[in-house]
Amino acid sequence: MQIVDVPEQEMKAGDVMIRLQYVGFCGSDLNTYLGRNPMVKLPVVPGHEVGAVIEAVGSEVPEGLKPGMVVTVNPYTNCGKCASCRNGRPNACQHNETLGVQRNGAMRERLVLPWEKVIPAGLLTPRECALVEPMSVGFHAVSRAQVTDSDVVLVIGCGMVGMGAVVRSALRGATVIAADIDDEKLQLAREMGASYTLNTKTDDVNSRLLEMTSGFGPDVVIEAVGSTPTYQMAVDVVAFTGRVVCIGYAKSEVSFQTKYFVQKELDIRGSRNALPQDFRAVIHYMERGTCPVDRLISSEVTPEEAQKAMDEWAAAPGRVFRILTKF
């Protein structure tokens, strides 16, 4: 990592300039740093989890966006022409370029964006705003799963994205089972809405799940890890006619007993990024003041301290929720 000087971005009609205050490092940033992110275009300025204040607005920007407003950012692009965009799902645009991955991101003092990508944050602080994007990814997965109050939902992986899925499932009235290998994360998942927890490292997963679900298995499994064992677990443990939603990117090929696809008549769905309504839902949730923000932020660092923080995260990846860089 290096700190560099770059030219100020020019504003056009319809653009908004934001001054960054907090930007989160996420798992994809860690993978980029370690050379394990197949989607990244290097070299790149990282960062797409944003808490900022509007500094200036160009012409043709709606009156609802004004200098001084606290905002977060929708960091995805959409072409408007591919099958996903035509079907009203721009979050899965075939040609998406996410800030900090396929294009330079938000780890900088100022950033210019089209006004459509700037999201007013209501009562949230810029620090809280930096948590909105990762939680929105979990919220979107719950929408993909069509979770209702009659469902039992198993969320595998209690990082920030998984926590978003736990919260949204609980808000929809579902019974939530949170699974992880870290007991501290599982305790926090309980506080954020999980009715049951499961340590997949020490518990007998199958027998515990059958106990928790009266022998049926969970109606919905949301995979928020991205590993071969958790992908296989999702298909193995989900109830007959259940729904499996996959968020995590597995780093290698995954083999399945495909008979379960047919015998259980499963719905297996991907979930990518988030839609504007998912961002708004997270903001609405966080405005309630019940989100344990301080416990979700593992550390705050200056840009000069970022490399040391990433090295420490790489050495102990399971112990970190979010690292925020403060500008």
Side-chain angles (χ1 to χ4, degrees):
M1 283 186 173
Q2 295 177 311
I3 297 175
V4 298
D5 291 319
V6 295
E8 193 81 80
Q9 294 174 293
E10 294 183 7
M11 291 182 64
K12 304 185 298 293
D15 283 345
V16 173
M17 177 181 284
I18 60 173
R19 178 177 285 274
L20 283 305
Q21 297 200 358
Y22 290 91
V23 183
F25 277 117
C26 80
S28 65
D29 294 317
L30 179 61
N31 284 325
T32 296
Y33 181 65
L34 297 174
R36 299 174 185 169
N37 188 344
M39 295 180 292
V40 73
K41 294 180 180 178
L42 294 172
V44 70
V45 177
H48 56 261
E49 302 175 355
V50 170
V53 173
I54 294 178
E55 182 153 300
V57 297
S59 61
E60 302 178 20
V61 171
E63 291 185 4
L65 296 173
K66 300 180 183 296
M69 288 183 66
V70 175
V71 295
T72 190
V73 165
N74 181 334
Y76 325 119
T77 63
N78 51 286
C79 69
K81 299 176 182 178
C82 71
S84 300
C85 291
R86 288 175 60 193
N87 289 330
R89 289 156 70 176
N91 59 295
C93 175
Q94 182 178 350
H95 307 292
N96 167 66
E97 292 185 344
T98 298
L99 285 172
V101 185
Q102 295 94 349
R103 61 188 172 126
N104 283 334
M107 292 275 181
R108 55 194 300 158
E109 291 173 295
R110 297 183 188 86
L111 183 66
V112 173
L113 296 160
W115 71 264
E116 294 91 343
K117 300 298 182 182
V118 178
I119 302 172
L123 302 176
L124 302 191
T125 65
R127 183 171 177 261
E128 292 168 333
C129 284
L131 303 180
V132 170
E133 191 274 343
M135 292 194 75
S136 74
V137 176
F139 271 46
H140 183 69
V142 173
S143 293
R144 292 283 294 141
Q146 297 175 300
V147 170
T148 71
D149 57 3
S150 63
D151 287 322
V152 177
V153 179
L154 170 65
V155 178
I156 306 175
C158 292
M160 277 294 299
V161 171
M163 286 297 189
V166 168
V167 169
R168 189 80 186 277
S169 297
L171 289 173
R172 289 191 174 196
T175 300
V176 183
I177 305 169
D180 201 278
I181 61 173
D182 185 282
D183 286 331
E184 287 185 33
K185 289 183 177 179
L186 291 173
Q187 177 57 38
L188 186 54
R190 273 191 181 273
E191 295 174 26
M192 296 183 75
S195 299
Y196 304 97
T197 57
L198 185 64
N199 188 314
T200 56
K201 199 173 185 178
T202 59
D203 291 332
D204 184 325
V205 173
N206 287 319
S207 63
R208 287 287 314 283
L209 282 174
L210 291 175
E211 288 173 14
M212 295 172 185
T213 62
S214 302
F216 292 106
D219 305 288
V220 174
V221 179
I222 296 175
E223 199 288 334
V225 176
S227 73
T228 297
T230 52
Y231 261 80
Q232 292 170 334
M233 181 195 302
V235 172
D236 290 347
V237 304
V238 70
F240 273 64
T241 67
R243 288 101 72 197
V244 175
V245 175
C246 306
I247 313 174
Y249 281 91
K251 307 300 184 294
S252 58
E253 292 185 2
V254 182
S255 58
F256 292 98
Q257 290 287 343
T258 55
K259 66 179 183 181
Y260 290 144
F261 296 9
V262 178
Q263 287 180 348
K264 293 185 176 182
E265 198 174 47
L266 298 181
D267 291 335
I268 301 177
R269 304 172 185 177
S271 182
R272 184 182 179 193
N273 300 332
L275 288 164
Q277 55 261 43
D278 300 310
F279 283 83
R280 291 195 297 270
V282 174
I283 291 168
H284 181 66
Y285 156 68
M286 293 186 71
E287 283 181 324
R288 299 180 179 189
T290 58
C291 180
V293 171
D294 290 338
R295 295 181 63 190
L296 295 175
I297 298 171
S298 303
S299 62
E300 295 180 24
V301 299
T302 65
E304 292 80 6
E305 297 167 330
Q307 179 160 339
K308 182 174 182 287
M310 293 298 271
D311 288 336
E312 292 173 352
W313 190 7
R319 308 301 297 176
V320 171
F321 273 108
R322 270 303 173 276
I323 297 170
L324 298 190
T325 302
K326 184 175 181 179
F327 287 84

